[in-house]
Amino acid sequence: MESQSPLQIQAYDYLKEMILSGKLEPDVLYSETRMSAQIGISRTPMREALRCLSQDGYITVVPSKGFMLRSLNERDMEESIQIRCAIEGFCVQVIAAEAETKKGQKLLGELEKLLEKQEKVLRLKQGPCMENIKSGTWSQKAFNQFMEYDHQFHWMLINYIGNREFLQTFQRLMYLIHLTTAKALSVPGRTEDTMKEHKLFYSYLKDGDGDGAYKLMMVHLMMPLAMHLTGK
């Protein structure tokens, strides 16, 4: 989001958190006036925040009425995945080629730590943790944390390159990525498969195997679309 007033930033961050945490629902028309009153700011910074959220792909503004969360359709899913394949595929090859450099080793160390965190969260689903005892299922909090680590994993690959256009594009697609990932990971067994793919991908990078890492990344990124087309 472009630099604006503190109130606009406050409104933007507040609404973004509400969207990503599921506190705002799809197919509901939200009033700009009521939301301004809820946050305690005037309509001008709220209107600017909504404009930025619309540009970043989170919402659809309905003129003179309010806004709705952006919905995920097959074309959006397909196009966002294709863009990710193009960007992350390039990043993968660069990282693998630089795996032995100081910069590459630093990234690999950070990825390894992140994978450890993601696997620890996944064990909450598989083990007899207190939340499972109470609810009989993996908690929404743990699911969201697993998904957040998934986003961080891919963000780190793109951030490594330092290409501002790549980073801006990924940020603009973040909500569609969030929706696509949430839908895919809700399919039984997909969280476990995702973890396996991340770990195998890491091993390819560590070995400097750019072709192996690239091929796996393409399968990994295209999986949600394949699952959607097969009705899973």
Side-chain angles (χ1 to χ4, degrees), residues 72 80 154:
L72 180 67
S80 62
H154 292 274

Side-chain angles (χ1 to χ4, degrees), residues 16 84 87-88 91 95 107 110-111 114 148-174 177 198 217:
K16 181 178 176 180
R84 291 187 67 188
I87 292 176
E88 295 188 49
C91 295
I95 294 169
L107 174 65
E110 292 170 347
L111 288 174
L114 184 61
E148 175 59 28
Y149 287 145
D150 183 90
H151 291 331
Q152 289 181 25
F153 185 87
H154 292 274
W155 175 264
M156 288 167 67
L157 301 178
I158 299 173
N159 191 54
Y160 177 89
I161 304 299
N163 185 307
R164 289 174 298 178
E165 293 296 327
F166 285 0
L167 293 170
Q168 289 175 7
T169 299
F170 192 84
Q171 178 62 39
R172 181 174 57 82
L173 294 174
M174 183 54 69
I177 293 172
H198 277 191
M217 179 59 75

Side-chain angles (χ1 to χ4, degrees), residues 182-193:
K183 183 176 181 180
L185 292 180
S186 66
V187 175
R190 184 56 198 156
T191 50
E192 290 81 0
D193 288 344

Side-chain angles (χ1 to χ4, degrees), residues 89-133:
F90 173 81
C91 295
V92 163
Q93 294 286 4
V94 173
I95 294 169
E98 298 179 1
E100 296 297 326
T101 67
K102 184 177 180 179
K103 181 181 178 183
Q105 287 291 303
K106 183 176 183 293
L107 174 65
L108 289 171
E110 292 170 347
L111 288 174
E112 184 176 19
K113 291 178 181 178
L114 184 61
L115 288 175
E116 290 172 356
K117 292 179 181 179
Q118 191 173 30
E119 192 163 35
K120 183 178 180 180
V121 173
L122 183 59
R123 285 199 291 269
L124 295 177
K125 178 182 181 181
Q126 301 166 333
C129 68
M130 183 59 67
E131 288 176 336
N132 285 341
I133 292 173

